[in-house]
Amino acid sequence: MSGLVLKLAPNERVLINGAVIENGDRRSKIAIRTPNANVLRLKDAIHPDRANTPVARACYIAQLILSGDAEADEGKRQLLLAIAQLALVFEDEASQTALREARASVEEGAAYPALRRLRELLPQEEQLIQARRQ
C-alpha cells in the first residue's frame, strides 16, 4: 500500500483537503493515496488564540496551508520567513536540525512534515519563555 496511512482512534477527527472526517466508534486505518493531499489531525491543530509565541505562530501558518485557509505560495513564504527567524534563536544542534528539516519540507511543498518538526520545538520554547520570566 502506497501513500499515507492514518491510524485513527475512536471518534478522532482529521481534516483532509478541507473536509473534516470523523472516525466511528472503533479504531480504523485510512489510506490516503492521492499524492500531496493536505492532511491535519485535528487533535494536533492549534487554536488561533494559542498561536501566541513564535513557534506556535509558525505551526499555525503550516496548519493554515494544510487546511487550505492560506494561499499556498504566500503561506510558504511566511512559513520560510518564520523558520529563518526561529533559526536565529534556537541555536542547539537538535533544534537547528529540526528547523533545517522543516525548511526542506516547506520547500518541497510538504507542510505536514514541517508542522511535525516545528511542534517538536514547542516544549523548548516554553522553557525559554519560563526562564526569561524569572
Side-chain angles (χ1 to χ4, degrees):
M1 191 182 329
S2 64
L4 175 66
V5 176
L6 296 175
K7 296 178 182 178
L8 300 175
N11 303 312
E12 184 174 358
R13 292 180 180 172
V14 63
L15 182 73
I16 301 174
N17 286 349
V20 175
I21 297 169
E22 184 173 344
N23 191 26
D25 295 336
R26 297 183 182 171
R27 296 185 62 79
S28 65
K29 282 197 280 188
I30 296 176
I32 313 272
R33 295 185 183 239
T34 303
N36 303 318
N38 291 324
V39 178
L40 176 64
R41 288 179 184 271
L42 293 183
K43 70 179 184 179
D44 293 336
I46 295 175
H47 191 276
D49 295 342
R50 308 249 4 236
N52 55 4
T53 66
V55 175
R57 280 191 293 275
C59 290
Y60 188 68
I61 294 168
Q63 181 178 304
L64 290 175
I65 294 169
L66 286 169
S67 68
D69 291 322
E71 191 274 319
D73 289 338
E74 179 60 18
K76 179 178 177 179
R77 186 191 69 73
Q78 288 184 21
L79 188 50
L80 288 172
L81 177 61
I83 291 170
Q85 291 171 341
L86 292 172
L88 298 173
V89 176
F90 291 90
E91 297 174 338
D92 63 286
E93 188 56 39
S95 297
Q96 286 291 317
T97 298
L99 290 166
R100 275 193 302 275
E101 290 176 5
R103 181 177 26 254
S105 293
V106 173
E107 289 169 349
E108 294 170 5
Y112 188 74
L115 174 61
R116 247 188 14 242
R117 292 310 313 247
L118 289 168
R119 286 182 62 85
E120 294 173 15
L121 299 176
L122 287 168
Q124 185 177 353
E125 180 185 49
E126 181 60 30
Q127 288 176 351
L128 289 171
I129 291 169
Q130 292 300 327
R132 180 81 170 136
R133 289 181 182 158
Q134 295 175 354

